[in-house]
Amino acid sequence: MADHKLPILVMVLVQLFQIQLARSENRYFPSLYIQAGLLFVFAIFCVCWSKRSKPVYLVDFSCFKPGDDCKISSETFFNMAKASGLYSDETIQFMTRILNRSGLGDDTYAPRCMLTSPPRPSMAEARYEAESVVFGAINSLFRKTGVKPEDIGIFIVNCSLFNPNPSLSAMIVNRYNLRSNIKTYNLSGMGCSAGAISIDLSKNLLRANPNTYALVVSTENMTLSMYRGNDRSMLVPNCLFRVGGAAILLSNRSQDRSRSKYELDHLVRVHKGAGDIPYTCAYQREDEKGILGVSIVKELTFVAGDALKTNLTSLGPLVLPLLEKLRFIESFLKRKIFRSRVEVYVPNFKRCFEHFCIHAGGRALLDAVQKGLGLSEWDLEPSRMTLHRFGNTSSSSLWYEFAYTEAKGRVGRGDRVWQLAFGSGFKCNSIVWRALRTIPADESSLGNPWVDSVHKYPVQVP
């Protein structure tokens, strides 16, 4: 029943009751009171139903896997950097230290223009990368779900650093001949947490537009994002970021529940941009020579930790069992009221979630989250192995981690999966999914980038 029809229906029933009351004789009063009571109960039911949140289902998702010709090992990276003539010897040594400590392996992927000597980034190459990643992910998603482009009513794409004209959303509408009344959105500048923001936007749109599908594409473009200078604060993205993208199909159709993998339970967003340090800790700017890049400062890990605490303050009451809440309140009161030196109790989030997908932003970030939340190596395995195999793929990294968890056959019916994303601005976003069914490890090879390599993992990261 559509929400906007409920008040009209209630008003009609009230008017009918008033008419019957006016025409009735005294002997019918008891029956009228019964009818009034039933009418009141029905009205309450209608109001409660109208305010009830409509489910949002994750039908399926696909991650793009580039070809082997785009693999970039550490040796290839350094040879490319030396041959480019762009970097000083000190810069090469600095990037060597970063990459050796990064947790990245030798099978990550780079844009094809970076693998030439010297690199030749251009608008044409940036468009080629965007089309390869986005179309590859969407094609496999359509094949594995059977959904047709004309079935899509809402489309959202996020890419922070590459914003051509026409937009990426227009590029996809043109490629798949999407219908003319489709609701399209192109998000930019949101950083690595943009994927979670896209899910939040699609959730709200699905609740306002019944009986439709929402297609979300999360990616980043590396071709024009490579920094070509020697400012140390702007060299980290060169070492960590790699090619990747994911396509996600969401639905609010009740008939899709039986074939969907997950249902959206909670989504919590936190924005700390009001502070100058969080706002500038990951900042696109020019260096002293006018060369454009993204500067990442050493306070980033501290800012991320503070944003995570704020996010958990909102997420905790939604997901924590009662005992964990009481333990936290007890330790908090002892410190604030009784001035005790006892540490504030850190809730055990392993009681809330079976699986963790922490944004693979870098090894230091994963170490800090693991220590702060008391997670095990098994909990962080999807994130660490994604960083090792695919590098930091920005907003899509959460979905490579999700795909790893599925490829290992770990997801059972009723399991809860926590996706935790960090992004410039500074933002920290949480998504909680609940599995509607057990996901077999070999359910589908389409769109799972781990299908031919998951048996090799986990590996020991030096």
Side-chain angles (χ1 to χ4, degrees):
M1 185 181 296
D3 294 352
H4 65 280
K5 295 181 181 178
L6 293 174
I8 298 176
L9 178 59
V10 172
M11 290 177 62
V12 170
L13 291 173
V14 170
Q15 289 179 359
L16 290 175
F17 174 74
Q18 289 175 343
I19 292 173
Q20 188 174 359
L21 179 62
R23 293 178 177 178
S24 299
E25 297 179 1
N26 292 343
R27 64 177 181 272
Y28 294 113
F29 275 6
S31 64
L32 289 175
Y33 289 143
I34 294 175
Q35 292 179 39
L38 294 174
L39 177 61
F40 177 76
V41 172
F42 180 74
I44 295 296
F45 171 78
C46 290
V47 171
C48 294
W49 180 266
S50 68
K51 293 183 177 180
R52 172 180 173 268
S53 296
K54 306 301 187 294
V56 173
Y57 302 115
L58 170 55
V59 180
D60 215 326
F61 64 95
S62 292
C63 298
F64 176 70
K65 182 183 177 184
D68 289 345
D69 57 328
C70 290
K71 284 187 176 180
I72 181 168
S73 63
S74 298
E75 182 180 0
T76 303
F77 177 86
F78 294 127
N79 290 338
M80 176 205 71
K82 293 176 182 177
S84 68
L86 300 171
Y87 307 108
S88 66
D89 292 339
E90 291 77 10
T91 295
I92 297 292
Q93 294 174 5
F94 179 71
M95 288 195 292
T96 301
R97 292 196 298 272
I98 293 176
L99 196 54
N100 288 340
R101 300 172 183 173
S102 65
L104 273 68
D106 287 333
D107 290 329
T108 60
Y109 300 95
R112 69 177 186 181
C113 71
M114 287 181 61
L115 300 174
T116 60
S117 184
R120 296 184 177 89
S122 65
M123 175 60 77
E125 285 294 326
R127 286 188 181 275
Y128 174 82
E129 180 191 346
E131 292 173 355
S132 300
V133 173
V134 171
F135 296 164
I138 294 177
N139 288 343
S140 65
L141 182 64
F142 281 155
R143 286 197 299 270
K144 70 193 297 189
T145 61
V147 173
K148 300 177 181 179
E150 56 265 30
D151 297 330
I152 304 300
I154 300 165
F155 173 69
I156 302 169
V157 59
N158 62 264
C159 183
S160 290
L161 298 176
F162 180 56
N163 301 287
N165 187 16
S167 66
L168 292 178
S169 62
M171 176 189 81
I172 296 166
V173 169
N174 176 263
R175 170 64 176 80
Y176 293 98
N177 194 26
L178 300 181
R179 64 197 201 201
S180 59
N181 64 344
I182 190 171
K183 295 175 173 61
T184 63
Y185 298 85
N186 199 108
L187 305 183
S188 63
M190 295 290 188
C192 298
S193 65
I197 297 172
S198 295
I199 296 297
D200 188 30
L201 176 58
S202 63
K203 174 199 70 175
N204 294 330
L205 290 169
L206 282 170
R207 288 176 175 170
N209 297 272
N211 199 38
T212 191
Y213 288 105
L215 175 61
V216 175
V217 175
S218 289
T219 188
E220 190 52 86
N221 194 282
M222 299 294 103
T223 297
L224 296 180
S225 303
M226 183 179 69
Y227 175 60
R228 302 162 66 85
N230 291 277
D231 188 321
R232 290 193 173 190
S233 70
M234 304 169 81
L235 291 168
V236 174
N238 284 5
C239 302
L240 298 183
F241 283 82
R242 296 293 186 266
V243 171
I248 304 98
L249 183 66
L250 304 173
S251 172
N252 59 9
R253 302 172 359 133
S254 57
Q255 59 265 42
D256 283 324
R257 179 183 175 86
S258 60
R259 74 184 188 115
S260 296
K261 288 183 173 181
Y262 306 91
E263 181 179 339
L264 179 62
D265 263 3
H266 305 288
L267 199 155
V268 174
R269 291 172 52 185
V270 166
H271 202 306
K272 306 290 284 188
D276 290 340
I277 294 179
Y279 175 67
T280 58
C281 66
Y283 196 82
Q284 188 177 27
R285 62 176 178 84
E286 289 128 349
D287 65 13
E288 59 183 11
K289 295 184 178 180
I291 304 173
L292 187 64
V294 176
S295 173
I296 296 179
V297 300
K298 60 184 180 180
E299 291 86 1
L300 177 65
T301 303
F302 170 79
V303 170
D306 180 63
L308 176 59
K309 290 179 182 178
T310 306
N311 188 281
L312 294 181
T313 301
S314 299
L315 180 65
L318 300 176
V319 299
L320 286 171
L322 179 60
L323 182 59
E324 291 296 309
K325 294 177 184 177
L326 293 176
R327 287 176 176 174
F328 173 80
I329 293 173
E330 179 187 17
S331 65
F332 180 81
L333 292 177
K334 285 182 178 179
R335 283 180 60 89
K336 295 297 182 180
I337 298 179
F338 300 106
R339 303 298 180 183
S340 172
R341 293 185 179 182
V342 64
E343 293 185 2
V344 174
Y345 176 73
V346 178
N348 183 3
F349 282 90
K350 296 174 70 171
R351 296 180 181 270
C352 311
F353 312 115
E354 284 72 35
H355 310 287
F356 298 82
C357 298
I358 313 298
H359 168 53
R363 189 170 186 172
L365 179 63
L366 294 178
D367 289 344
V369 173
Q370 179 179 9
K371 181 179 179 180
L373 297 180
L375 302 179
S376 67
E377 283 298 326
W378 190 90
D379 297 326
L380 266 289
E381 185 180 310
S383 300
R384 293 195 188 278
M385 296 306 102
T386 294
L387 184 63
H388 182 271
R389 177 66 181 83
F390 294 99
N392 182 346
T393 59
S394 189
S395 60
S396 64
S397 69
L398 298 177
W399 299 100
Y400 286 86
E401 296 160 10
F402 214 151
Y404 179 90
T405 304
E406 288 190 350
K408 283 292 186 180
R410 296 180 176 180
V411 181
R413 179 184 175 90
D415 283 1
R416 295 151 299 179
V417 183
W418 181 22
Q419 291 181 311
L420 178 64
F422 299 94
S424 59
F426 190 86
K427 298 177 285 293
C428 177
N429 302 324
S430 290
I431 313 175
V432 180
W433 302 98
R434 180 171 51 85
L436 297 174
R437 55 186 175 87
T438 298
I439 312 298
D442 58 350
E443 178 175 297
S444 174
S445 60
L446 282 174
N448 193 316
W450 296 94
V451 66
D452 61 348
S453 61
V454 72
H455 62 281
K456 302 177 182 176
Y457 290 88
V459 298
Q460 185 67 34
V461 180

